[in-house]
């Protein structure tokens, strides 16, 4: 417990400022200047005289807005909405003010509002960080995992440069659910080398919630939740669209994303969007990274009919990718792995090519959603149905009759049903409640010639939640909620008899055996899990723009099918993975405290977060030795439970030197411990510090230039899982240390980005930007890259982005 109080003391910084009177309110309506109709979802920004945002809100279905706890001061009020010309109004506040504003509609006025997204109040007392559309565009040539790393406390776990998954506060995979268009993404996310199958260009905004507080989405979000949201469809009579292209030097390819949207002014609208990406072999500073190309094809269509009291939306997206895996990472046995680790460059270096060969992954993901809502006196009732189909193929280098066939071929089908009720203020309480049902089926295709590592299973999940918040005082909001989930997994799994006996299952689970097939047993594990989650938090506002947020969350995560059923060689990972039918739910107790504020007359924007997470029965995958087979010798990784603690601090700050020059910095430090075995946790992110110097001048055609430094420290707190293997050297068996634990050295790289807007017509602009990543072509290896044993990271990369809005 002492660690909790130490972390809290770091967060609650002594900030003593003379505060103005801050108990006034600003309210009113936003209307169309011609028709007089109110405008729903118009954004109201209240900025200081330096142009910094102090307050913000969105109008409700009646066009009404309300901002409370406003300080006596002079402001600029900016009103904007898709399809209208944004307007700025000066306003002095020294009393409660009711102010109505009007906007003028313009069909082509989109460049000013392209980044505006729907207001979010997922929780009142959990920290939410947002990545805007302009930030997403700067990562349009990469992937979702890379885009999220711009937030302090968020890192990436990667398999090369194209397979990247996010880590929040040291946790990843099924511990960090991703909501895509409000539907929980299900795409075989159990593997370390399984990236989210989402087109980052589809998103208009991305929200990162660093706790399990958003209980309406999940009760097992031990690490946090990621919300990926497309732009809300317009309700105006207009035609909108944009085209974004990226020309990329490292990989000698490019990326193109385009969308077109049509609104009919009667509540009906639709949008079509697509992305195409093609890259050949990437290159490190000193050599080619053979077989690291990617081919990606994505498509989505969205249609909606929205009125104030009723609405319906239909959404469909397709994600398809063919991703090469570094050829040198294809290890046939432990001797190759030892040689690869001891070598300073890949064992296989070939000439550049656009071809993608085995080893590789071929993924197809389909998501369809229909949702409807109804507004009435008590609140908003909504129903959502989602359908997902994911096909995952992993290709090993194979010969003879199996050449060209995948070594793993899985079909995953998921259906979601959600009923939610968001009630209006009742005696000061405002909240939401709902129920959900999820059915999932995994079918391993049997024509691979290899026993699938993930078996056939059916999974049923029923959940319910209730969240309430209450404003105890004008400056203090309290929030509490709970969630309960029941999950049942019914599987059919072949176990080798020797493995079945070695694990003691012949004595524990003799009733699971359905059939004796000779060398194996066909078994039918039926497992039931019960999960309870809860949250309790407070948000205390200090003056105009400072607040302290404290949140406690309890969450429970069910073991995933990989952790339960794995039993054999995972070919794309070149490792033998062993699950455990005895695994229990992980139970997480996480406390977070955050200070957010503006200091020195709004010249410094500061956010400091400390966090402590104690996870009972934490499921840890660790190397336990080596196993020899006909194919060769491979390291054995086993899922085992322990008790873990993870704690750290995140700092994000901006210093506005003047209206044109800004310094940005973010720093994150994290430490993870295996409490049961008194050692460090494996794969914990090292400390990272990012600093940027930004100059921008809107009068010079929106010109900007930015220089960034990314410093990643060496991870000195790590477990020693090295072991000795026998290598045949000149006919002699030689015991050799297999060092799979020692982290790589610290490194620092620099990035540069500049751009401007070129007017094409009165209302349309061409945005041009140029980026250099890893300016000095620095050679380094990342501790959180699974391919760090085989090669350096990608070298210098020059990217030219062109974006045209129409």
């Amino acid at each position: 417990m002492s660690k909790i109080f130490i972390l809290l003391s770091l967060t609650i910084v002594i900030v003593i400022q003379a505060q103005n009177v801050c108990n006034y309110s600003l309210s009113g309506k936003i209307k169309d200047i011609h028709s007089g109709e109110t405008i729903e979802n118009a954004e109201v920004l209240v900025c200081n005289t330096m142009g910094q945002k102090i307050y913000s809100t969105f109008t409700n279905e009646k066009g009404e807005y309300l901002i409370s706890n406003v300080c006596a001061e002079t402001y600029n009020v900016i009103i904007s909405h898709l399809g209208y010309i944004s307007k700025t109004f000066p306003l002095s506040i020294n009393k409660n003010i009711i102010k109505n504003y009007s906007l003028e509609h313009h069909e082509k006025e989109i460049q000013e509002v392209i980044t505006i997204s729907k207001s979010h109040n997922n929780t009142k007392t959990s920290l939410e960080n947002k990545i805007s559309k302009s930030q997403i565009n700067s990562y349009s040539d990469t992937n979702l995992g890379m885009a999220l790393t711009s937030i302090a406390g968020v890192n990436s776990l990667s398999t090369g440069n194209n397979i990247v998954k996010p880590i929040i506060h040291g946790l990843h995979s099924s511990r960090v659910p991703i909501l895509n268009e409000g539907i929980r993404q299900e795409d075989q996310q159990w593997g370390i080398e399984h990236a989210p199958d989402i087109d980052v260009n589809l998103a208009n905004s991305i929200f990162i919630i660093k706790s399990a507080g958003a209980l309406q989405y999940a009760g097992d979000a031990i690490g946090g939740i990621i919300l990926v949201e497309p732009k809300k469809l317009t309700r105006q009579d207009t035609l909108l669209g944009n085209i974004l292209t990226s020309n990329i030097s490292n990989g000698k390819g490019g990326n193109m994303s385009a969308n077109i949207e049509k609104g009919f002014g009667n509540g009906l609208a639709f949008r079509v969007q697509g992305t195409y990406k093609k890259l050949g072999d990437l290159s490190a500073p000193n050599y080619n990274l053979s077989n690291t190309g990617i081919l990606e094809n994505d498509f989505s269509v969205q249609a909606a009919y929205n009125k104030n009291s009723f609405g319906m939306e239909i959404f469909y997206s397709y994600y398809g990718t063919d991703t090469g895996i570094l050829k040198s990472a294809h290890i046939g046995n432990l001797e190759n792995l030892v040689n690869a680790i001891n070598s300073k460059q890949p064992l296989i270096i070939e000439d550049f090519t656009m071809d993608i060969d085995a080893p590789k992954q071929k993924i197809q993901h389909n998501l369809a959603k229909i949702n409807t809502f109804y507004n009435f006196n008590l609140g908003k009732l909504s129903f959502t149905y989602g359908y997902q189909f994911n096909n995952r193929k992993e290709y090993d280098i194979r010969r003879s009759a199996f050449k060209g066939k995948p070594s793993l071929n899985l079909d995953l089908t998921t259906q979601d049903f959600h009923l939610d009720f968001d009630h209006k203020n009742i005696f000061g309480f405002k909240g939401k409640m709902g129920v959900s049902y999820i059915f999932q089926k995994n079918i391993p295709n049997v024509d691979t010639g290899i026993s699938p590592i993930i078996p056939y299973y059916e999974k049923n999940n029923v959940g319910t939640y209730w969240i309430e918040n209450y404003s105890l005082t004008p400056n203090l909001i309290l929030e509490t909620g709970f969630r309960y989930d029941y999950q049942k997994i019914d599987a059919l799994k072949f176990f080798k008899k020797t493995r079945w006996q070695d694990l003691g299952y012949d004595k524990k689970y003799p009733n699971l055996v359905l059939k004796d097939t000779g060398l194996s047993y066909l078994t039918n594990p039926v497992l039931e899990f019960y999960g309870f989650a809860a949250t309790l938090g407070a948000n205390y506002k200090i003056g105009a723009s400072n607040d302290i947020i404290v949140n406690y969350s309890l969450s429970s995560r069910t073991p995933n099918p990989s952790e339960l059923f794995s039993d054999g060689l995972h070919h794309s990972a070149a490792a033998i993975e062993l699950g455990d039918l005895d695994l229990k739910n992980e139970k997480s107790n996480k406390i977070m405290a955050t200070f957010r504020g503006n200091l020195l007359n709004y010249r410094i924007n500061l956010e400091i977060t400390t966090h402590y997470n104690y996870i009972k029965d934490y499921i840890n995958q660790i190397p336990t030795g080596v196993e020899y087979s006909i194919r060769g010798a491979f390291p054995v990784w086993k899922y085992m439970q322990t008790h873990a603690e993870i704690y750290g601090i995140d700092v994000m700050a901006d210093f506005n030197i003047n209206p044109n020059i800004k310094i940005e910095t973010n720093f994150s430090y994290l430490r993870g411990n295996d409490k049961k075995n008194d050692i460090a946790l494996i794969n914990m992110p090292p400390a990272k510090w990012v600093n940027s110097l930004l100059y921008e001048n809107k009068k010079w055609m929106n010109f900007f230039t930015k220089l960034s430094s990314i410093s990643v420290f060496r991870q000195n707190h790590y477990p020693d899982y090295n072991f000795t293997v026998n290598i045949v050297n000149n006919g002699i068996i030689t015991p050799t240390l297999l060092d799979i634990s020692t982290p790589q050295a610290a490194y620092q790289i620099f990035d540069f980005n500049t751009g401007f807007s070129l007017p094409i017509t009165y209302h349309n602009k061409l945005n041009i930007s140029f980026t250099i990543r890893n300016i000095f072509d620095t050679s380094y290896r990342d501790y959180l890259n699974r391919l760090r044993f085989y090669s350096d990271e990608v070298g210098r990369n020059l990217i030219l982005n062109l974006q045209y809005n129409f």
Side-chain angles (χ1 to χ4, degrees), residues 584-805:
K584 300 177 291 186
N585 277 12
E586 291 180 336
K587 293 166 281 293
S588 164
N589 290 270
K590 184 174 184 179
I591 186 168
M592 289 179 55
T594 299
F595 169 78
R596 294 187 305 194
N598 295 280
L599 313 177
L600 298 180
N601 195 27
Y602 303 104
R603 295 175 70 87
I604 296 178
N605 303 313
L606 178 65
E607 179 180 290
I608 302 177
T609 298
T610 56
H611 57 93
Y612 179 87
N613 195 354
Y614 183 82
I615 308 173
K616 185 178 180 182
D617 296 321
Y618 176 78
I619 301 173
N620 201 13
Q621 187 186 30
I622 61 174
T624 58
V626 60
E627 187 171 304
Y628 297 86
S629 66
I630 297 175
R631 167 77 185 278
F634 295 91
V636 178
W637 291 73
K638 187 173 182 180
Y639 291 101
M640 305 176 70
Q641 290 196 290
T642 185
H643 302 322
E645 67 171 4
I646 302 173
Y647 57 92
I649 183 169
D650 306 329
V651 179
M652 300 178 68
D654 299 337
F655 177 56
N656 296 280
I657 298 175
N658 60 44
N660 300 114
I661 301 176
K662 179 166 64 174
I663 295 174
E664 303 172 340
T665 185
N666 73 60
F667 173 81
S668 59
Y669 170 81
L670 180 142
R671 194 175 181 94
N673 296 312
D674 180 336
K675 298 295 289 182
K676 184 179 290 186
N677 299 300
D678 195 26
I679 58 175
L681 284 179
I682 195 170
N683 288 335
M684 290 290 109
K688 184 173 72 171
W689 191 15
V690 180
N691 293 283
S692 301
L693 178 62
L694 172 66
Y695 174 82
E696 54 185 351
N697 192 327
K698 295 187 180 298
K699 296 179 181 178
W700 297 356
M701 296 190 299
N702 290 321
F703 173 80
F704 73 91
T705 185
K706 184 176 183 179
L707 178 65
S708 301
S709 163
I710 300 99
S711 300
V712 178
F713 297 78
R714 186 178 186 271
Q715 177 59 278
N716 293 317
H717 188 65
Y718 64 94
D720 184 356
Y721 289 123
N722 296 335
F723 54 89
T724 300
V725 296
N726 294 324
I727 303 297
V728 179
N729 188 7
N730 295 325
I732 301 174
I733 298 178
T734 306
T736 304
L737 179 68
L738 184 59
D739 186 354
I740 59 174
S741 301
T742 304
Q744 280 58 43
Y747 63 87
Q748 182 180 27
I749 58 175
F750 293 87
D751 292 347
F752 174 76
N753 183 222
T754 187
F756 61 95
S757 297
L758 184 65
I760 302 299
T761 69
Y762 180 76
H763 297 292
N764 300 334
K765 296 179 181 179
L766 176 65
N767 298 321
I768 303 172
S769 67
F770 177 67
T771 301
I772 307 176
R773 298 198 180 112
N774 194 358
I775 295 173
F776 301 109
D777 210 21
T778 302
S779 296
Y780 67 98
R781 299 196 181 195
D782 193 325
Y783 175 61
L784 294 178
N785 190 337
R786 193 176 68 86
L787 302 189
R788 67 187 183 275
F789 301 125
Y790 315 111
S791 72
D792 291 339
E793 296 290 330
V794 172
R796 183 187 297 115
N797 194 4
L798 282 66
I799 303 148
L800 176 64
N801 282 339
L802 304 174
Q803 181 183 17
Y804 177 65
N805 300 326

Side-chain angles (χ1 to χ4, degrees), residues 357-370:
D357 298 320
K360 68 175 183 178
Q361 298 178 0
K362 191 176 183 67
I363 313 293
Q364 293 181 336
H365 187 83
N366 297 266
L367 185 152
K369 184 195 81 167
I370 180 170

Side-chain angles (χ1 to χ4, degrees), residues 3-26:
K3 292 185 177 68
I4 299 176
F5 294 109
I6 292 173
L7 291 170
L8 286 174
S9 66
L10 289 172
T11 299
I12 306 175
V13 182
I14 302 177
V15 182
I16 303 177
Q17 301 183 85
Q19 299 294 332
N20 295 329
V21 178
C22 298
N23 57 1
Y24 299 128
S25 66
L26 173 63

Side-chain angles (χ1 to χ4, degrees), residues 106-124:
H106 204 299
E107 294 184 355
K108 296 297 184 180
E109 186 67 24
I110 68 165
Q111 58 268 21
E112 298 295 333
V113 296
I114 193 69
T115 63
I116 293 175
S117 63
K118 186 178 179 181
S119 176
H120 261 265
N121 287 304
N122 301 291
T123 72
K124 296 293 185 181

Side-chain angles (χ1 to χ4, degrees), residues 158-185:
S158 59
T159 301
N161 194 63
N162 296 320
I163 303 174
V164 183
K165 63 195 318 176
I167 303 175
I168 299 179
H169 289 166
L171 300 171
H172 57 84
S173 301
S174 55
R175 298 183 180 98
V176 181
I178 298 175
L179 278 293
N180 184 8
E181 253 286 325
I183 300 296
R184 178 165 175 156
Q185 184 83 1

Side-chain angles (χ1 to χ4, degrees), residues 82 330 496 751:
L82 187 66
H330 181 79
K496 293 180 181 178
D751 292 347

Side-chain angles (χ1 to χ4, degrees), residues 241-258:
N242 77 51
I243 300 173
L244 173 65
T245 64
S246 300
N247 302 278
I248 306 165
S249 69
N250 201 323
K252 300 179 182 179
N255 171 81
M256 175 178 286
S257 181

Side-chain angles (χ1 to χ4, degrees), residues 464-589:
T464 183
Y465 74 90
W466 189 357
I467 304 170
E468 293 289 341
N469 64 76
Y470 180 77
S471 295
L472 189 62
T473 71
N475 294 335
L476 178 60
I477 298 176
L478 302 178
E479 183 176 50
T480 187
F482 75 89
R483 183 182 177 98
Y484 177 79
D485 286 278
Y486 166 77
Q487 186 174 114
K488 180 179 179 181
I489 300 177
D490 189 342
L492 291 174
K493 167 71 178 174
F494 285 96
F495 278 96
K496 293 180 181 178
K497 288 184 177 180
T498 53
R499 185 84 71 198
W500 185 261
Q501 295 165 0
D502 290 342
L503 296 173
Y505 291 165
D506 54 333
K507 297 179 181 179
K508 290 182 180 179
Y509 307 115
N511 58 318
L512 298 186
V513 178
L514 296 180
K515 185 178 180 180
D516 185 338
T517 63
L519 296 177
S520 301
Y521 291 123
L522 175 60
T523 66
N524 179 212
V526 179
L527 307 172
E528 293 182 299
F529 299 93
Y530 306 87
F532 180 79
T535 184
L536 178 64
N539 186 327
Y540 181 70
K541 192 171 185 62
I542 307 171
S545 55
N546 302 333
D547 55 6
I548 292 177
I549 301 172
V550 179
N551 178 270
Y552 163 77
S553 57
L554 166 70
S555 53
S556 177
R557 186 183 74 91
T558 299
N560 65 43
S562 175
E563 295 162 341
L564 292 167
F565 304 123
S566 290
D567 173 35
L569 181 61
H570 189 179
H571 287 258
S572 71
I576 293 172
E577 298 182 3
L578 299 179
D580 188 347
L581 293 178
D582 293 331
L583 293 178
K584 300 177 291 186
N585 277 12
E586 291 180 336
K587 293 166 281 293
S588 164
N589 290 270

